[in-house]
């Protein structure tokens, strides 16, 4: 039984930083893709960043490249998203997902967390 639980969201001022965590249980980390998505009201779910465990090579959307960093601590079974230089446009519910392959859309992911709210003002 795979479970993903996000934490670390909150309110921050423009230019600030946050670290999101996604604690995973019940899954095999050897060949999965761990991904962060975000969604704000009235907008489609947006791909943010992916971390394929086999290659360890992260990828980022253009909107966050250079400001966000995705990482995985396999010993803690936790995925992280370090977010820096935040702007109000980054405000959204951030959700982690896992699947066999990395996709930049929500289809193809097998498991999802419940999400954590990030508000930048």
């Amino acid at each position: 039984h795979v479970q993903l639980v996000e934490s670390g969201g909150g309110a921050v001022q423009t230019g600030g930083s946050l670290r999101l965590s996604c604690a995973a249980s019940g899954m095999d980390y050897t060949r999965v893709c761990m991904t962060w998505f975000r969604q704000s009201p009235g907008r489609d779910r947006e791909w943010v960043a992916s971390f394929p465990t086999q290659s360890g090579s992260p990828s980022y959307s253009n909107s966050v490249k250079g400001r966000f960093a995705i990482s995985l601590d396999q010993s803690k079974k936790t995925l992280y998203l370090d977010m820096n230089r935040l702007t109000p446009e980054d405000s959204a519910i951030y959700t982690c997902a896992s699947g066999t392959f990395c996709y930049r859309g929500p289809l193809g992911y097998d498991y999802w967390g419940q999400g954590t709210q990030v508000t930048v003002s």
Side-chain angles (χ1 to χ4, degrees), residues 2 4 27-35 37 50-55 97-112:
V2 175
L4 304 176
M27 64 186 295
D28 180 1
Y29 272 100
T30 55
R31 287 190 180 185
V32 295
C33 181
M34 302 295 295
T35 294
F37 286 91
S50 290
F51 191 96
T53 59
Q54 189 172 14
S55 70
S98 69
T100 303
F101 301 104
C102 289
Y103 298 100
R104 298 192 176 188
L107 296 179
Y109 287 90
D110 302 310
Y111 304 101
W112 293 82

Side-chain angles (χ1 to χ4, degrees), residues 20-74:
L20 305 183
S21 300
C22 173
S25 59
M27 64 186 295
D28 180 1
Y29 272 100
T30 55
R31 287 190 180 185
V32 295
C33 181
M34 302 295 295
T35 294
W36 286 100
F37 286 91
R38 67 186 182 185
Q39 188 169 22
S40 53
R43 301 184 66 175
D44 292 335
R45 184 171 286 174
E46 177 189 8
W47 171 74
V48 176
S50 290
F51 191 96
T53 59
Q54 189 172 14
S55 70
S57 298
S59 56
Y60 301 93
S61 69
N62 288 335
S63 61
V64 308
K65 191 177 296 182
R67 299 188 299 123
F68 291 12
I70 188 172
S71 60
L72 175 69
D73 186 332
Q74 294 207 22

Side-chain angles (χ1 to χ4, degrees), residues 109-121:
Y109 287 90
D110 302 310
Y111 304 101
W112 293 82
Q114 83 289 350
T116 185
Q117 176 72 50
V118 171
T119 303
V120 186
S121 60

